[in-house]
Amino acid sequence: MSSPAPPPDRRPPASAPAPGSGPLAPASTPSPGPVDHWIGGRGSLQRQLLLRTLAVLAVTAVLLSSLATALTRQLVVGQIDQELAATRDRTTRGQSADGTPGLYPKGVDLPGQQIGTVVLVFDGQRGRAGVQTEAGPTLPPEKAISALIGVPDDGRKRSTTLPGLGHYRVLGFAHAGNLVVVGLPLAGVDAILYRLLVGEVVLTLLALLGGAVGVRLVVERGLRPLNRLAGTAQSVSALPLGSGEVELAVRVPEADADPRSEVGRVGVAFNRMLAHVGGALAARQASETKLRRFVADASHELRNPLAAISGYAELTRRRGEELPEDARFAVGRIESEAGRMHRLVEDLLLLARLDTGRAPELERVDVSALVVDAVSDARVAGQDHHWRLELAERAVEVRADRFQLQQVLVNLLANARTHTPAGTTVTTAVRVEGSEAGGTAVVTVADDGPGIPAETLPRVFERFTRADSARARLGAAGERPSGTGLGLAIVAAVVEAHRGTVHVHSVPGSTTFTVRLPLAGAEGALQQASGGRP
Protein backbone atom coordinates (compact mmCIF):
# COMPACT_ATOMS: atom_id res chain seq x y z
CA MET A 1 0.00 0.00 0.00
CA SER A 2 1.33 3.42 -0.94
CA SER A 3 2.00 6.11 1.58
CA PRO A 4 -0.66 8.76 2.26
CA ALA A 5 -1.02 11.44 -0.37
CA PRO A 6 0.90 14.68 0.08
CA PRO A 7 -0.88 17.94 0.86
CA PRO A 8 -3.08 19.01 -2.04
CA ASP A 9 -2.20 22.19 -3.81
CA ARG A 10 -5.59 23.84 -3.92
CA ARG A 11 -8.87 24.29 -2.17
CA PRO A 12 -12.28 23.92 -3.81
CA PRO A 13 -14.75 26.78 -4.00
CA ALA A 14 -17.47 27.81 -1.62
CA SER A 15 -20.02 25.24 -2.66
CA ALA A 16 -19.82 22.19 -4.83
CA PRO A 17 -22.02 19.29 -5.91
CA ALA A 18 -21.26 15.82 -4.76
CA PRO A 19 -18.42 14.33 -6.81
CA GLY A 20 -19.37 11.71 -9.28
CA SER A 21 -22.90 12.93 -9.52
CA GLY A 22 -24.39 12.35 -12.93
CA PRO A 23 -26.46 14.69 -15.04
CA LEU A 24 -29.58 16.15 -13.63
CA ALA A 25 -32.63 13.94 -13.93
CA PRO A 26 -35.73 15.37 -15.57
CA ALA A 27 -37.71 17.53 -13.20
CA SER A 28 -40.60 15.66 -11.63
CA THR A 29 -44.05 16.88 -12.63
CA PRO A 30 -47.13 16.79 -10.41
CA SER A 31 -49.63 14.05 -11.05
CA PRO A 32 -52.29 15.22 -13.52
CA GLY A 33 -55.86 15.71 -12.39
CA PRO A 34 -58.88 14.28 -14.21
CA VAL A 35 -59.22 17.39 -16.41
CA ASP A 36 -55.52 17.41 -17.33
CA HIS A 37 -55.68 13.68 -17.96
CA TRP A 38 -58.57 14.12 -20.40
CA ILE A 39 -57.48 17.25 -22.28
CA GLY A 40 -53.74 17.15 -21.58
CA GLY A 41 -51.48 19.00 -19.18
CA ARG A 42 -50.95 22.74 -19.18
CA GLY A 43 -48.94 23.84 -22.17
CA SER A 44 -49.24 20.48 -23.95
CA LEU A 45 -49.86 20.38 -27.68
CA GLN A 46 -52.84 18.06 -27.15
CA ARG A 47 -54.50 20.59 -24.84
CA GLN A 48 -53.88 23.47 -27.24
CA LEU A 49 -55.19 21.60 -30.27
CA LEU A 50 -58.26 20.36 -28.41
CA LEU A 51 -59.19 23.74 -26.92
CA ARG A 52 -58.55 25.66 -30.14
CA THR A 53 -60.51 23.16 -32.23
CA LEU A 54 -63.41 23.31 -29.78
CA ALA A 55 -63.27 27.11 -29.89
CA VAL A 56 -63.53 27.01 -33.69
CA LEU A 57 -66.42 24.52 -33.45
CA ALA A 58 -68.18 26.69 -30.87
CA VAL A 59 -67.85 29.84 -33.00
CA THR A 60 -69.04 27.93 -36.07
CA ALA A 61 -72.02 26.51 -34.19
CA VAL A 62 -73.00 29.94 -32.84
CA LEU A 63 -72.75 31.51 -36.29
CA LEU A 64 -74.81 28.74 -37.88
CA SER A 65 -77.43 28.96 -35.11
CA SER A 66 -77.61 32.73 -35.46
CA LEU A 67 -78.00 32.48 -39.24
CA ALA A 68 -80.63 29.77 -38.89
CA THR A 69 -82.57 31.84 -36.36
CA ALA A 70 -82.38 34.97 -38.51
CA LEU A 71 -83.48 33.07 -41.60
CA THR A 72 -86.37 31.40 -39.76
CA ARG A 73 -87.50 34.74 -38.35
CA GLN A 74 -87.32 36.30 -41.78
CA LEU A 75 -89.43 33.52 -43.26
CA VAL A 76 -92.04 33.56 -40.50
CA VAL A 77 -92.24 37.35 -40.36
CA GLY A 78 -92.55 37.33 -44.15
CA GLN A 79 -95.66 35.17 -43.83
CA ILE A 80 -97.02 37.53 -41.16
CA ASP A 81 -96.36 40.44 -43.52
CA GLN A 82 -98.35 38.72 -46.26
CA GLU A 83 -101.21 38.15 -43.85
CA LEU A 84 -100.89 41.76 -42.69
CA ALA A 85 -101.23 42.98 -46.29
CA ALA A 86 -104.38 40.86 -46.68
CA THR A 87 -105.70 42.28 -43.42
CA ARG A 88 -105.10 45.81 -44.76
CA ASP A 89 -107.04 45.03 -47.92
CA ARG A 90 -110.00 43.62 -46.00
CA THR A 91 -109.99 46.53 -43.61
CA THR A 92 -109.89 49.02 -46.50
CA ARG A 93 -112.87 47.38 -48.17
CA GLY A 94 -114.80 47.41 -44.90
CA GLN A 95 -114.13 51.09 -44.40
CA SER A 96 -115.24 51.88 -47.95
CA ALA A 97 -118.44 49.88 -47.62
CA ASP A 98 -119.75 51.68 -44.60
CA GLY A 99 -118.16 54.77 -43.16
CA THR A 100 -120.79 55.22 -40.44
CA PRO A 101 -119.05 55.96 -37.18
CA GLY A 102 -119.41 53.31 -34.51
CA LEU A 103 -117.79 51.95 -31.39
CA TYR A 104 -115.38 49.81 -33.39
CA PRO A 105 -113.87 50.61 -36.72
CA LYS A 106 -115.14 48.65 -39.70
CA GLY A 107 -112.92 45.76 -40.63
CA VAL A 108 -112.22 44.34 -37.17
CA ASP A 109 -114.86 41.63 -37.32
CA LEU A 110 -114.80 40.99 -41.03
CA PRO A 111 -114.61 37.39 -42.20
CA GLY A 112 -110.99 36.26 -42.55
CA GLN A 113 -109.60 38.46 -39.80
CA GLN A 114 -107.64 36.24 -37.40
CA ILE A 115 -107.81 36.30 -33.63
CA GLY A 116 -105.72 39.14 -32.22
CA THR A 117 -106.12 41.46 -35.22
CA VAL A 118 -106.14 45.09 -34.14
CA VAL A 119 -107.54 47.97 -36.21
CA LEU A 120 -107.31 51.72 -35.50
CA VAL A 121 -108.99 54.56 -37.40
CA PHE A 122 -107.88 58.04 -36.38
CA ASP A 123 -109.42 61.13 -37.97
CA GLY A 124 -107.09 63.58 -36.32
CA GLN A 125 -109.24 64.19 -33.28
CA ARG A 126 -110.81 60.92 -32.24
CA GLY A 127 -109.56 57.43 -32.64
CA ARG A 128 -111.63 54.28 -32.81
CA ALA A 129 -109.84 50.97 -32.22
CA GLY A 130 -110.81 47.36 -31.79
CA VAL A 131 -109.12 44.03 -31.34
CA GLN A 132 -110.60 40.73 -32.54
CA THR A 133 -111.01 38.03 -29.89
CA GLU A 134 -112.67 34.65 -29.89
CA ALA A 135 -115.75 36.30 -28.34
CA GLY A 136 -115.79 39.11 -30.87
CA PRO A 137 -114.32 42.60 -31.12
CA THR A 138 -113.36 44.46 -27.97
CA LEU A 139 -111.68 47.69 -27.05
CA PRO A 140 -107.85 47.65 -26.64
CA PRO A 141 -106.25 49.40 -23.65
CA GLU A 142 -105.84 53.17 -23.84
CA LYS A 143 -102.05 52.87 -23.86
CA ALA A 144 -102.25 50.51 -26.80
CA ILE A 145 -104.48 53.02 -28.66
CA SER A 146 -101.95 55.77 -27.96
CA ALA A 147 -99.18 53.56 -29.31
CA LEU A 148 -101.21 52.82 -32.46
CA ILE A 149 -101.90 56.51 -33.05
CA GLY A 150 -98.14 57.05 -33.04
CA VAL A 151 -97.58 54.66 -35.95
CA PRO A 152 -96.62 56.60 -39.13
CA ASP A 153 -98.88 56.32 -42.18
CA ASP A 154 -95.97 55.55 -44.51
CA GLY A 155 -97.22 52.08 -45.46
CA ARG A 156 -94.18 50.30 -43.99
CA LYS A 157 -94.50 47.18 -41.87
CA ARG A 158 -92.75 47.31 -38.51
CA SER A 159 -92.68 45.44 -35.22
CA THR A 160 -93.67 47.16 -32.00
CA THR A 161 -94.95 46.40 -28.53
CA LEU A 162 -98.52 47.44 -27.71
CA PRO A 163 -99.03 47.88 -23.95
CA GLY A 164 -101.59 45.37 -22.72
CA LEU A 165 -101.62 43.45 -26.04
CA GLY A 166 -98.01 42.32 -26.55
CA HIS A 167 -95.66 42.12 -29.50
CA TYR A 168 -97.31 43.12 -32.81
CA ARG A 169 -96.51 43.58 -36.46
CA VAL A 170 -98.27 46.81 -37.51
CA LEU A 171 -98.91 48.70 -40.74
CA GLY A 172 -100.07 52.35 -40.92
CA PHE A 173 -101.55 53.95 -44.04
CA ALA A 174 -103.88 56.84 -45.00
CA HIS A 175 -107.36 56.07 -46.18
CA ALA A 176 -110.17 58.59 -46.85
CA GLY A 177 -108.30 61.28 -44.95
CA ASN A 178 -107.95 59.11 -41.89
CA LEU A 179 -105.00 57.25 -40.33
CA VAL A 180 -105.71 53.55 -40.45
CA VAL A 181 -103.46 51.14 -38.57
CA VAL A 182 -103.80 47.36 -38.72
CA GLY A 183 -101.73 44.90 -36.71
CA LEU A 184 -101.25 41.16 -36.21
CA PRO A 185 -99.83 39.52 -33.08
CA LEU A 186 -96.30 38.09 -33.13
CA ALA A 187 -96.77 35.86 -30.10
CA GLY A 188 -96.71 32.75 -32.26
CA VAL A 189 -93.58 33.89 -34.05
CA ASP A 190 -91.87 34.64 -30.74
CA ALA A 191 -92.83 31.20 -29.41
CA ILE A 192 -91.43 29.51 -32.52
CA LEU A 193 -88.19 31.48 -32.31
CA TYR A 194 -87.84 30.75 -28.59
CA ARG A 195 -88.29 27.01 -29.11
CA LEU A 196 -85.86 27.19 -32.02
CA LEU A 197 -83.30 29.03 -29.88
CA VAL A 198 -83.61 26.51 -27.03
CA GLY A 199 -83.24 23.66 -29.49
CA GLU A 200 -80.20 25.27 -31.08
CA VAL A 201 -78.52 25.78 -27.66
CA VAL A 202 -79.13 22.15 -26.72
CA LEU A 203 -77.95 20.87 -30.09
CA THR A 204 -74.88 23.14 -29.97
CA LEU A 205 -73.89 21.81 -26.54
CA LEU A 206 -74.41 18.23 -27.69
CA ALA A 207 -72.42 18.94 -30.85
CA LEU A 208 -69.58 20.46 -28.82
CA LEU A 209 -69.59 17.49 -26.45
CA GLY A 210 -69.52 15.03 -29.30
CA GLY A 211 -66.95 17.15 -31.11
CA ALA A 212 -64.75 17.23 -28.01
CA VAL A 213 -64.79 13.44 -27.79
CA GLY A 214 -64.12 13.06 -31.49
CA VAL A 215 -61.43 15.75 -31.60
CA ARG A 216 -59.70 14.26 -28.56
CA LEU A 217 -59.60 10.83 -30.18
CA VAL A 218 -58.28 12.29 -33.43
CA VAL A 219 -55.72 14.53 -31.72
CA GLU A 220 -54.56 11.80 -29.36
CA ARG A 221 -54.18 9.36 -32.21
CA GLY A 222 -52.37 11.95 -34.33
CA LEU A 223 -49.99 12.86 -31.51
CA ARG A 224 -49.03 9.28 -30.61
CA PRO A 225 -45.93 9.29 -32.85
CA LEU A 226 -44.86 12.65 -31.40
CA ASN A 227 -45.43 11.38 -27.85
CA ARG A 228 -43.35 8.29 -28.58
CA LEU A 229 -40.62 10.54 -29.98
CA ALA A 230 -40.79 12.69 -26.82
CA GLY A 231 -40.57 9.54 -24.67
CA THR A 232 -37.45 8.46 -26.54
CA ALA A 233 -35.90 11.90 -26.01
CA GLN A 234 -36.74 11.80 -22.29
CA SER A 235 -35.22 8.35 -21.88
CA VAL A 236 -32.04 9.55 -23.59
CA SER A 237 -31.93 12.70 -21.43
CA ALA A 238 -32.06 10.53 -18.30
CA LEU A 239 -28.94 8.56 -19.31
CA PRO A 240 -25.68 9.42 -17.48
CA LEU A 241 -23.71 10.73 -20.46
CA GLY A 242 -21.16 12.72 -18.50
CA SER A 243 -18.57 9.99 -18.01
CA GLY A 244 -17.93 6.29 -18.27
CA GLU A 245 -18.99 3.86 -20.94
CA VAL A 246 -22.36 4.80 -22.40
CA GLU A 247 -24.48 2.57 -24.62
CA LEU A 248 -27.04 4.56 -26.61
CA ALA A 249 -29.28 1.67 -27.60
CA VAL A 250 -32.42 3.84 -27.57
CA ARG A 251 -33.76 4.72 -31.00
CA VAL A 252 -36.99 6.04 -32.49
CA PRO A 253 -39.03 3.09 -33.87
CA GLU A 254 -39.12 2.68 -37.64
CA ALA A 255 -42.87 3.33 -37.65
CA ASP A 256 -42.18 6.82 -36.26
CA ALA A 257 -39.23 7.48 -38.58
CA ASP A 258 -41.12 7.64 -41.86
CA PRO A 259 -39.65 10.54 -43.88
CA ARG A 260 -42.99 11.07 -45.61
CA SER A 261 -44.48 12.66 -42.48
CA GLU A 262 -43.39 15.66 -40.43
CA VAL A 263 -42.93 13.66 -37.23
CA GLY A 264 -41.18 10.95 -39.22
CA ARG A 265 -38.61 13.41 -40.53
CA VAL A 266 -37.95 14.53 -36.95
CA GLY A 267 -37.58 10.87 -35.97
CA VAL A 268 -35.08 10.23 -38.76
CA ALA A 269 -33.06 13.30 -37.75
CA PHE A 270 -33.20 12.26 -34.09
CA ASN A 271 -31.93 8.76 -34.90
CA ARG A 272 -29.07 10.23 -36.92
CA MET A 273 -28.23 12.57 -34.05
CA LEU A 274 -28.24 9.64 -31.59
CA ALA A 275 -25.95 7.70 -33.90
CA HIS A 276 -23.52 10.62 -34.07
CA VAL A 277 -23.69 11.13 -30.30
CA GLY A 278 -23.16 7.40 -29.72
CA GLY A 279 -20.13 7.44 -31.98
CA ALA A 280 -18.73 10.47 -30.21
CA LEU A 281 -19.29 8.88 -26.79
CA ALA A 282 -17.64 5.66 -27.93
CA ALA A 283 -14.66 7.61 -29.26
CA ARG A 284 -14.47 9.56 -26.01
CA GLN A 285 -14.63 6.39 -23.94
CA ALA A 286 -11.94 4.76 -26.06
CA SER A 287 -9.76 7.84 -25.67
CA GLU A 288 -10.32 7.90 -21.91
CA THR A 289 -9.59 4.21 -21.62
CA LYS A 290 -6.41 4.59 -23.64
CA LEU A 291 -5.35 7.59 -21.56
CA ARG A 292 -6.03 5.81 -18.28
CA ARG A 293 -4.15 2.74 -19.45
CA PHE A 294 -1.27 4.96 -20.50
CA VAL A 295 -1.25 6.77 -17.15
CA ALA A 296 -1.37 3.49 -15.24
CA ASP A 297 1.35 1.89 -17.36
CA ALA A 298 3.55 4.99 -17.30
CA SER A 299 3.13 5.36 -13.54
CA HIS A 300 3.97 1.71 -13.00
CA GLU A 301 7.03 1.94 -15.25
CA LEU A 302 8.24 5.10 -13.53
CA ARG A 303 8.44 3.43 -10.14
CA ASN A 304 11.70 1.58 -10.84
CA PRO A 305 13.58 4.56 -12.37
CA LEU A 306 12.44 6.74 -9.48
CA ALA A 307 13.57 4.15 -6.97
CA ALA A 308 16.96 3.98 -8.70
CA ILE A 309 17.29 7.77 -8.75
CA SER A 310 16.43 7.98 -5.07
CA GLY A 311 18.89 5.19 -4.24
CA TYR A 312 21.77 6.73 -6.15
CA ALA A 313 21.01 10.14 -4.69
CA GLU A 314 21.01 8.70 -1.17
CA LEU A 315 24.25 6.83 -1.88
CA THR A 316 25.85 10.02 -3.14
CA ARG A 317 24.62 12.00 -0.17
CA ARG A 318 26.25 9.54 2.27
CA ARG A 319 29.59 10.64 0.89
CA GLY A 320 28.60 14.28 1.12
CA GLU A 321 31.88 15.30 2.83
CA GLU A 322 33.73 14.50 -0.37
CA LEU A 323 31.41 16.64 -2.52
CA PRO A 324 31.52 20.38 -3.02
CA GLU A 325 28.72 22.54 -1.56
CA ASP A 326 26.85 23.04 -4.85
CA ALA A 327 26.95 19.28 -5.55
CA ARG A 328 25.50 18.50 -2.12
CA PHE A 329 22.72 21.05 -2.76
CA ALA A 330 21.98 19.48 -6.16
CA VAL A 331 21.81 15.99 -4.64
CA GLY A 332 19.38 17.24 -2.03
CA ARG A 333 17.18 18.77 -4.69
CA ILE A 334 17.31 15.52 -6.67
CA GLU A 335 16.11 13.59 -3.63
CA SER A 336 13.33 16.13 -2.99
CA GLU A 337 12.04 16.14 -6.55
CA ALA A 338 12.34 12.35 -6.79
CA GLY A 339 10.22 12.04 -3.65
CA ARG A 340 7.66 14.47 -5.08
CA MET A 341 7.52 12.52 -8.33
CA HIS A 342 7.16 9.28 -6.37
CA ARG A 343 4.13 10.69 -4.55
CA LEU A 344 2.67 11.86 -7.86
CA VAL A 345 3.13 8.39 -9.38
CA GLU A 346 1.45 6.75 -6.38
CA ASP A 347 -1.48 9.17 -6.62
CA LEU A 348 -1.88 8.52 -10.33
CA LEU A 349 -1.83 4.75 -9.77
CA LEU A 350 -4.49 5.03 -7.08
CA LEU A 351 -6.72 7.17 -9.32
CA ALA A 352 -6.20 4.76 -12.21
CA ARG A 353 -7.31 1.85 -10.02
CA LEU A 354 -10.36 3.80 -8.86
CA ASP A 355 -11.24 4.79 -12.45
CA THR A 356 -11.42 1.15 -13.47
CA GLY A 357 -14.27 0.69 -10.97
CA ARG A 358 -12.31 -1.77 -8.86
CA ALA A 359 -14.20 -2.21 -5.57
CA PRO A 360 -12.20 -1.38 -2.43
CA GLU A 361 -11.32 -4.08 0.09
CA LEU A 362 -13.92 -3.45 2.78
CA GLU A 363 -13.67 -4.14 6.49
CA ARG A 364 -15.20 -2.70 9.63
CA VAL A 365 -13.31 0.48 10.44
CA ASP A 366 -13.66 2.74 13.47
CA VAL A 367 -13.78 6.21 11.97
CA SER A 368 -13.08 7.91 15.29
CA ALA A 369 -9.82 5.99 15.72
CA LEU A 370 -8.67 6.94 12.22
CA VAL A 371 -9.54 10.59 12.85
CA VAL A 372 -7.58 10.63 16.11
CA ASP A 373 -4.50 9.19 14.36
CA ALA A 374 -4.79 11.57 11.40
CA VAL A 375 -5.17 14.65 13.62
CA SER A 376 -2.21 13.54 15.75
CA ASP A 377 -0.04 13.30 12.63
CA ALA A 378 -1.31 16.67 11.37
CA ARG A 379 -0.52 18.28 14.75
CA VAL A 380 3.08 17.17 14.44
CA ALA A 381 3.36 18.36 10.83
CA GLY A 382 1.60 21.69 11.46
CA GLN A 383 2.65 22.90 14.89
CA ASP A 384 1.83 26.49 13.96
CA HIS A 385 -1.90 25.59 13.68
CA HIS A 386 -4.47 24.86 16.40
CA TRP A 387 -6.01 21.40 16.09
CA ARG A 388 -9.31 20.45 17.74
CA LEU A 389 -11.22 17.17 17.91
CA GLU A 390 -14.97 16.61 18.38
CA LEU A 391 -15.79 12.90 18.56
CA ALA A 392 -19.09 11.06 18.86
CA GLU A 393 -19.99 9.56 22.22
CA ARG A 394 -19.96 6.04 20.79
CA ALA A 395 -17.90 4.21 18.22
CA VAL A 396 -18.69 5.12 14.63
CA GLU A 397 -17.99 2.16 12.36
CA VAL A 398 -18.17 1.98 8.60
CA ARG A 399 -17.24 -0.68 6.09
CA ALA A 400 -14.33 0.77 4.14
CA ASP A 401 -10.80 0.29 2.97
CA ARG A 402 -8.82 1.38 6.01
CA PHE A 403 -5.85 2.78 4.11
CA GLN A 404 -7.92 4.63 1.51
CA LEU A 405 -10.13 6.17 4.19
CA GLN A 406 -7.02 7.19 6.12
CA GLN A 407 -5.69 8.85 2.97
CA VAL A 408 -8.95 10.83 2.67
CA LEU A 409 -8.49 12.19 6.20
CA VAL A 410 -4.80 12.94 5.70
CA ASN A 411 -5.49 14.81 2.44
CA LEU A 412 -8.24 16.94 3.98
CA LEU A 413 -6.13 17.85 7.01
CA ALA A 414 -3.09 18.58 4.85
CA ASN A 415 -5.26 20.74 2.62
CA ALA A 416 -6.35 22.80 5.63
CA ARG A 417 -2.78 23.07 6.92
CA THR A 418 -1.22 24.02 3.60
CA HIS A 419 -3.71 26.69 2.51
CA THR A 420 -4.30 28.56 5.76
CA PRO A 421 -1.96 30.88 7.64
CA ALA A 422 -0.28 30.10 10.93
CA GLY A 423 -2.59 30.33 13.93
CA THR A 424 -5.60 28.95 12.05
CA THR A 425 -7.84 26.62 14.05
CA VAL A 426 -8.73 23.36 12.31
CA THR A 427 -11.61 21.39 13.84
CA THR A 428 -12.22 17.75 12.91
CA ALA A 429 -15.57 16.31 14.03
CA VAL A 430 -17.24 12.91 13.80
CA ARG A 431 -20.96 12.38 14.27
CA VAL A 432 -23.78 10.02 13.25
CA GLU A 433 -26.90 10.97 11.33
CA GLY A 434 -29.91 8.64 11.27
CA SER A 435 -30.38 5.22 12.82
CA GLU A 436 -27.82 2.47 13.24
CA ALA A 437 -29.35 0.36 10.46
CA GLY A 438 -29.56 3.03 7.78
CA GLY A 439 -27.58 5.92 9.20
CA THR A 440 -24.60 7.85 7.98
CA ALA A 441 -21.19 8.60 9.45
CA VAL A 442 -20.34 12.28 8.99
CA VAL A 443 -16.78 13.58 9.17
CA THR A 444 -16.19 17.34 8.92
CA VAL A 445 -12.90 19.22 8.62
CA ALA A 446 -13.45 22.93 9.27
CA ASP A 447 -11.04 25.83 9.51
CA ASP A 448 -11.36 29.56 10.18
CA GLY A 449 -8.96 30.53 7.41
CA PRO A 450 -9.49 33.08 4.66
CA GLY A 451 -11.98 30.95 2.73
CA ILE A 452 -12.07 29.81 -0.89
CA PRO A 453 -12.47 32.09 -3.92
CA ALA A 454 -15.87 31.75 -5.58
CA GLU A 455 -14.39 31.79 -9.09
CA THR A 456 -12.92 28.31 -8.55
CA LEU A 457 -16.39 26.78 -8.09
CA PRO A 458 -16.59 25.07 -11.53
CA ARG A 459 -13.29 23.26 -10.82
CA VAL A 460 -14.26 21.54 -7.58
CA PHE A 461 -12.29 18.35 -7.03
CA GLU A 462 -10.80 18.39 -10.52
CA ARG A 463 -7.40 16.80 -11.05
CA PHE A 464 -4.30 18.96 -11.33
CA THR A 465 -6.26 22.05 -10.37
CA ARG A 466 -4.26 24.35 -8.14
CA ALA A 467 -5.16 27.44 -6.15
CA ASP A 468 -4.41 30.82 -7.70
CA SER A 469 -1.29 32.73 -6.76
CA ALA A 470 -3.13 34.88 -4.22
CA ARG A 471 -4.47 31.81 -2.47
CA ALA A 472 -1.39 29.58 -2.40
CA ARG A 473 0.63 29.99 0.80
CA LEU A 474 4.36 30.31 0.57
CA GLY A 475 6.50 27.72 2.31
CA ALA A 476 9.27 28.41 4.76
CA ALA A 477 11.85 28.88 1.99
CA GLY A 478 9.58 31.10 -0.08
CA GLU A 479 8.60 28.23 -2.41
CA ARG A 480 5.19 27.17 -3.44
CA PRO A 481 3.72 24.06 -1.79
CA SER A 482 4.99 20.91 -3.42
CA GLY A 483 1.63 19.15 -3.69
CA THR A 484 0.65 17.14 -6.75
CA GLY A 485 -2.72 18.80 -7.34
CA LEU A 486 -4.43 15.41 -6.90
CA GLY A 487 -5.20 15.43 -3.18
CA LEU A 488 -8.84 16.50 -3.32
CA ALA A 489 -9.42 14.52 -6.52
CA ILE A 490 -8.35 11.41 -4.57
CA VAL A 491 -10.71 12.39 -1.75
CA ALA A 492 -13.62 12.61 -4.18
CA ALA A 493 -12.76 9.36 -5.99
CA VAL A 494 -12.27 7.34 -2.78
CA VAL A 495 -15.48 8.63 -1.18
CA GLU A 496 -17.43 7.88 -4.35
CA ALA A 497 -15.97 4.36 -4.49
CA HIS A 498 -17.33 3.84 -0.96
CA ARG A 499 -20.82 5.04 -2.02
CA GLY A 500 -20.43 8.22 -0.03
CA THR A 501 -20.51 11.95 -0.76
CA VAL A 502 -18.21 14.88 -0.11
CA HIS A 503 -19.25 18.53 -0.07
CA VAL A 504 -17.58 21.81 0.72
CA HIS A 505 -18.99 25.08 2.04
CA SER A 506 -16.83 28.16 2.30
CA VAL A 507 -17.22 31.81 3.21
CA PRO A 508 -14.50 34.21 4.33
CA GLY A 509 -13.46 33.00 7.78
CA SER A 510 -15.05 29.53 7.54
CA THR A 511 -14.40 26.55 5.28
CA THR A 512 -15.93 23.13 5.94
CA PHE A 513 -15.42 19.84 4.10
CA THR A 514 -18.11 17.26 4.87
CA VAL A 515 -17.69 13.53 4.12
CA ARG A 516 -20.66 11.20 4.48
CA LEU A 517 -20.31 7.40 4.46
CA PRO A 518 -22.90 4.66 5.18
CA LEU A 519 -22.61 3.10 8.61
CA ALA A 520 -21.57 -0.51 8.86
CA GLY A 521 -25.19 -1.41 9.67
CA ALA A 522 -26.45 -0.24 6.27
CA GLU A 523 -25.80 -3.65 4.73
CA GLY A 524 -27.72 -3.08 1.48
CA ALA A 525 -25.63 -0.26 0.09
CA LEU A 526 -22.43 -1.71 1.52
CA GLN A 527 -22.95 -5.09 -0.10
CA GLN A 528 -23.34 -3.26 -3.40
CA ALA A 529 -20.18 -1.26 -2.71
CA SER A 530 -18.20 -4.41 -1.92
CA GLY A 531 -19.45 -6.37 -4.90
CA GLY A 532 -21.24 -8.91 -2.70
CA ARG A 533 -18.34 -9.52 -0.28
CA PRO A 534 -19.27 -9.66 3.41
Side-chain angles (χ1 to χ4, degrees), residues 82-454:
Q82 293 178 1
E83 296 178 3
L84 188 60
T87 302
R88 178 194 60 186
D89 295 339
R90 287 192 294 268
T91 303
T92 301
R93 290 194 298 269
Q95 294 293 323
S96 301
D98 186 0
T100 304
L103 181 61
Y104 305 108
K106 298 297 182 181
V108 176
D109 54 351
L110 292 177
Q113 304 287 52
Q114 59 177 296
I115 302 300
T117 301
V118 64
V119 177
L120 168 73
V121 177
F122 181 65
D123 58 6
Q125 295 182 356
R126 178 176 179 273
R128 294 178 298 153
V131 58
Q132 181 69 9
T133 64
E134 293 183 356
T138 184
L139 287 173
E142 290 293 334
K143 293 183 178 180
I145 295 176
S146 299
L148 289 172
I149 293 175
V151 175
D153 59 351
D154 53 4
R156 295 179 56 185
K157 304 177 183 67
R158 52 177 51 87
S159 300
T160 185
T161 299
L162 301 179
L165 295 180
H167 197 201
Y168 266 71
R169 189 75 171 171
V170 297
L171 170 63
F173 59 95
H175 179 71
N178 298 326
L179 169 65
V180 180
V181 179
V182 295
L184 293 176
L186 292 176
V189 175
D190 293 340
I192 292 174
L193 294 179
Y194 176 77
R195 289 194 297 269
L196 178 62
L197 182 61
V198 172
E200 287 174 346
V201 170
V202 174
L203 291 177
T204 299
L205 293 177
L206 292 177
L208 288 178
L209 180 60
V213 175
V215 170
R216 180 182 182 275
L217 294 177
V218 173
V219 170
E220 183 181 15
R221 183 179 181 86
L223 290 180
R224 283 177 185 173
L226 189 59
N227 288 329
R228 289 193 293 266
L229 180 61
T232 303
Q234 288 179 347
S235 61
V236 172
S237 67
L239 295 176
L241 306 179
S243 61
E245 186 174 359
V246 180
E247 179 64 27
L248 280 180
V250 182
R251 290 293 186 276
V252 177
E254 293 185 4
D256 299 331
D258 187 356
R260 294 174 296 180
S261 66
E262 292 81 357
V263 176
R265 289 195 293 271
V266 176
V268 171
F270 192 73
N271 281 342
R272 290 177 181 172
M273 182 188 67
L274 290 179
H276 294 325
V277 171
L281 291 175
R284 183 207 65 187
Q285 178 62 22
S287 176
E288 288 182 357
T289 302
K290 185 183 298 184
L291 179 60
R292 289 170 181 170
R293 187 180 297 113
F294 168 77
V295 171
D297 294 341
S299 301
H300 183 75
E301 293 298 329
L302 285 174
R303 287 173 127 184
N304 292 334
L306 287 174
I309 292 173
S310 299
Y312 283 116
E314 182 180 0
L315 180 61
T316 304
R317 182 172 51 80
R318 290 179 180 179
R319 303 181 63 181
E321 66 279 357
E322 302 176 4
L323 299 175
E325 183 66 24
D326 56 349
R328 288 197 300 270
F329 177 78
V331 170
R333 293 302 302 155
I334 290 174
E335 284 186 312
S336 176
E337 292 302 317
R340 182 173 179 271
M341 186 173 291
H342 179 75
R343 292 192 297 270
L344 175 61
V345 167
E346 293 298 329
D347 289 346
L348 289 174
L349 280 175
L350 176 58
L351 287 173
R353 287 194 295 268
L354 293 173
D355 287 340
T356 60
R358 183 185 304 175
E361 298 291 336
L362 301 184
E363 58 178 316
R364 296 180 74 93
V365 178
D366 186 352
V367 178
S368 299
L370 286 183
V371 168
V372 170
D373 294 340
V375 172
S376 299
D377 296 340
R379 182 178 288 111
V380 174
Q383 299 183 8
D384 55 352
H385 285 61
H386 303 291
W387 303 92
R388 294 179 53 193
L389 264 176
E390 296 179 1
L391 301 178
E393 296 180 356
R394 57 184 177 86
V396 180
E397 292 187 340
V398 299
R399 291 181 60 85
D401 186 304
R402 178 183 299 274
F403 299 102
Q404 291 185 7
L405 185 55
Q406 183 182 13
Q407 189 166 11
V408 168
L409 298 173
V410 169
N411 286 7
L412 291 176
L413 292 172
N415 184 75
R417 183 185 74 249
T418 305
H419 295 282
T420 56
T424 299
T425 300
V426 181
T427 303
T428 306
V430 180
R431 68 177 188 274
V432 175
E433 292 182 352
S435 62
E436 183 69 26
T440 302
V442 181
V443 180
T444 59
V445 178
D447 65 71
D448 56 0
I452 302 169

